[in-house]
Amino acid sequence: MGKVTYTLQQVAEHNDPKDCWLIIDGKVFDVTKFLEDHPGGDDVLLSATGKDATDDFEDVGHSSTAKAMMDEFYVGDIDTATIPSKVEYKPPKQDHYNQDKTSEFIIKILQFLVPLVILGVAVGIRFYTRSV
């Protein structure tokens, strides 16, 4: 059987739990059977569909065992001409209220205020007990 070449569009159609394909290092992998066994969870794999997932794969730092396992999921190669050279990053739509930033900000304020309050209480107690 010859090597099959797929377009990004063809691979992108395989993007659900019953049919999941990924593009890593110019190769196409059908990871459908592996979804429930993936140590990182199936949602990580599903979120990597429809694009070149090489960076996602490398960033996690997969073991040589994991890389060797990929051979059994290999289904063909990607036509690299169909992958945009620079994927335009669209930030997710967010409300103006950013919970992460807010909680970081509150923690920083508390780290500053709590010692001041403790110091104030200690000085107050000392001042109060001295004047009695």
Side-chain angles (χ1 to χ4, degrees):
M1 184 171 126
K3 184 167 70 166
V4 183
T5 303
Y6 297 96
T7 64
L8 177 61
Q9 185 59 45
Q10 287 171 311
V11 176
E13 290 168 9
H14 303 270
N15 61 1
D16 65 65
K18 294 179 186 72
D19 184 20
C20 180
W21 288 18
L22 297 181
I23 302 165
I24 300 168
D25 285 333
K27 294 180 178 179
V28 179
F29 299 92
D30 178 351
V31 295
T32 312
K33 293 189 194 98
F34 186 61
L35 285 175
E36 57 191 45
D37 297 326
H38 185 246
D42 59 354
D43 51 336
V44 180
L45 296 177
L46 289 165
S47 69
T49 60
K51 61 175 185 166
D52 184 338
T54 306
D55 289 344
D56 297 346
F57 181 81
E58 296 298 336
D59 288 349
V60 175
H62 285 86
S63 67
S64 53
T65 311
K67 290 177 182 173
M69 282 177 70
M70 291 169 62
D71 291 344
E72 69 181 275
F73 304 113
Y74 172 75
V75 291
D77 293 328
I78 188 72
D79 178 354
T80 51
T82 65
I83 298 179
S85 54
K86 181 128 180 87
V87 176
E88 197 175 310
Y89 176 69
K90 294 185 187 111
K93 284 192 163 60
Q94 287 182 323
D95 298 332
H96 292 297
Y97 174 69
N98 184 331
Q99 199 168 353
D100 290 344
K101 291 275 184 266
T102 305
S103 59
E104 277 176 31
F105 181 66
I106 290 168
I107 288 168
K108 284 201 167 80
I109 287 177
L110 287 176
Q111 283 175 335
F112 181 69
L113 285 181
V114 169
L116 279 181
V117 169
I118 292 170
L119 182 66
V121 169
V123 168
I125 289 171
R126 187 166 178 174
F127 180 78
Y128 181 77
T129 54
R130 188 181 284 167
S131 64
V132 171

